Amino acid sequence: MTNAFTPATQTELARFVAENAQGAKRPLTPVGGRTALHFGYAGKDGAQVVDLHGLSKVIDYPARDMTVTVEAGLRIDELQTLLRTERQRLPIDIAQSARATIGGAIATNTSGPRRFGHGTFRDYVIGISAVDAHGKLFKGGGRVVKNVAGYDLCKLLTGSRGSLGIISQVTLKLRPVAETSAFLWCPFEIFAEVENALGRLLQSDARPVALEVLAGSAAHLIANEARAGLPSASPVLCVGVEGTPQEVEWQLDRLRKEITPYGVQDLIRVEGESAEHLWTALTEFQTSADDPLTFQANLLPSRCMEFADAAVKLGVSVQVHAGNGIVIGQLPEEAATVEQALAALSSLRQFARQAKGNLQVLHCDPEWKSRMPMCGDPEPAWPLMRQLKQSLDPHGLLNPGRFIDA
């Protein structure tokens, strides 16, 4: 990659992209906080970095409408600090939030443990502006929640990893700040008992916003980060709730009664500052390890405990967003070569496919990427996605070779 171009306005960004399309036609790599550059394949050599951190203005914040419009380069922590002045928030957990930008988080469709209760960016982006490969600024959605005009470009660009357009501005739907939150930390003997407890919780009168299962060294690492002296013999079911103090108290009591019959070894309440540390540890897990490879598997929620059990037997540390069918895994240090890593992943990739899912690598040694499923195994929809990419970016200028066009 060459020196970055840093636009100060959306117009300057559009002009730069248009000049590139009409002239040099160099590959463009849009970046924000540079926290997700390891996603996907290596991309083409000689790409021009387009650094969006200069686009960081707050365009409009009508707090009574519970929406905010900001430029794509605004840091997540800065956005949340602004929203807290009105007792509001964007309820999506984003790792490395001091560096990450809102445009980058949307482009990678980042989410964390609260995904179970609050959803993903596709539930919160109601308006979006972006620059296409020709340098044309285009918009979708609007600044009000009830806007159904036109194609749903908000959902199309969310998770597109900068391959269809460079996101320059977004309008977000917001939620009130929860008065308090807490967890129940529940160690079990075996995964089958966790599965039974999860089955009960999916019919619970309480409304947990996070259903996390931790196993392998993940439980130990996250317990240490929480600084609450939590037992870390795995597997651990970690249930998060939010609301007023009365609502949280009622939910914890209800969940305790519902989980107790299913073989749990202990039921530990995590509250106050320790709960805040635990939210952070659960969010940062996928970025906090020095292990050689981190992957994400998406599969039927009903098969997650079986998958996690198989992964732990291979020495993998796992964090499961159990209500959503997502497993984050980190291979052990013993997987020191690309052949060893591929061997460790082989059975898990097959398992995920049989469970109507897929497995993609989030992070690994850059030299391993060409042999790894950085975007998962091919899906039936990929030809259609490539046609879409071809129609919007016929010269392959936006992040080429990083996503499914690799």
Side-chain angles (χ1 to χ4, degrees), residues 6-317:
T6 306
T9 65
Q10 294 184 76
T11 302
E12 194 174 310
L13 170 64
R15 186 186 308 125
F16 177 82
V17 176
E19 290 174 356
N20 181 68
Q22 295 163 10
K25 291 185 172 54
R26 297 168 63 185
L28 302 179
T29 299
V31 302
R34 302 180 187 237
T35 58
L37 290 181
H38 52 275
F39 282 13
Y41 292 96
K44 290 188 177 179
D45 294 335
Q48 169 67 57
V49 173
V50 180
D51 189 337
L52 297 168
H53 83 270
L55 297 179
S56 58
K57 297 185 185 70
V58 176
I59 304 300
D60 191 17
Y61 182 20
R64 274 193 287 185
D65 294 340
M66 299 193 72
T67 66
V68 66
T69 300
V70 299
E71 290 186 327
L74 186 66
R75 310 281 184 190
I76 297 298
D77 276 1
E78 294 174 9
L79 172 62
Q80 297 287 27
T81 298
L82 168 69
L83 301 181
R84 278 197 294 273
T85 62
E86 298 290 344
R87 300 289 300 163
Q88 295 176 355
R89 63 174 171 162
L90 176 67
I92 297 176
D93 304 298
I94 299 167
Q96 300 175 292
S97 57
R99 290 175 50 203
T101 62
I102 185 65
I106 292 170
T108 53
N109 197 20
T110 300
S111 64
R114 288 184 177 90
R115 177 179 178 137
F116 178 66
H118 293 297
T120 69
F121 271 112
R122 289 195 168 98
D123 300 301
Y124 292 92
V125 179
I126 60 173
I128 199 162
S129 300
V131 174
D132 70 11
H134 304 287
K136 182 180 178 182
L137 184 65
F138 64 98
K139 301 178 181 179
R143 295 190 185 181
V144 294
V145 174
K146 292 183 178 178
N147 189 321
V148 295
Y151 295 109
D152 196 344
L153 296 177
C154 300
K155 287 186 172 61
L156 181 67
L157 292 176
T158 299
S160 64
R161 300 188 182 184
S163 64
L164 302 179
I166 302 176
I167 298 172
S168 57
Q169 181 177 302
V170 294
T171 298
L172 303 164
K173 187 169 60 176
L174 306 173
R175 291 274 180 86
V177 170
E179 290 187 29
T180 190
S181 67
F183 289 91
L184 277 182
W185 181 271
C186 316
F188 284 82
E189 186 72 27
I190 56 175
F191 280 101
E193 294 172 340
V194 182
E195 180 72 59
N196 292 335
L198 285 169
R200 177 65 185 89
L201 293 185
L202 292 177
Q203 305 173 47
S204 174
D205 292 331
R207 290 291 180 268
V209 295
L211 290 177
E212 301 286 291
V213 177
L214 312 171
S217 61
H220 182 65
L221 176 66
I222 291 174
N224 281 347
E225 291 293 325
R227 307 173 209 170
L230 299 169
S232 55
S234 62
V236 172
L237 171 61
C238 184
V239 186
V241 296
E242 294 180 333
T244 65
Q246 294 80 9
E247 289 169 341
V248 167
E249 184 65 31
W250 181 86
Q251 290 190 87
L252 290 177
D253 182 62
R254 188 71 192 174
L255 290 167
R256 181 182 60 79
K257 293 176 181 174
E258 291 172 346
I259 295 173
T260 296
Y262 293 95
V264 64
Q265 296 177 328
D266 203 350
L267 283 160
I268 303 168
R269 294 167 62 124
V270 184
E271 302 170 282
E273 188 175 354
S274 294
E276 293 304 316
H277 290 314
L278 186 48
W279 282 118
T280 301
L282 291 168
T283 301
E284 299 288 342
F285 171 71
Q286 63 179 287
T287 64
S288 61
D290 295 326
D291 292 320
L293 183 146
T294 301
F295 68 81
Q296 175 176 309
N298 302 275
L299 61 159
L300 291 172
S302 60
R303 303 292 303 278
C304 278
M305 291 304 99
E306 191 180 346
F307 181 94
D309 195 9
V312 169
K313 288 173 180 172
L314 293 171
V316 178
S317 299

Side-chain angles (χ1 to χ4, degrees), residues 296-299 348-349 352-353 355-360 373 375-379 382:
Q296 175 176 309
N298 302 275
L299 61 159
L348 297 177
R349 289 171 69 180
R353 298 300 284 169
K356 299 184 179 181
N358 212 327
L359 182 151
Q360 62 177 325
C375 300
D377 290 308
E379 295 279 5
W382 281 22

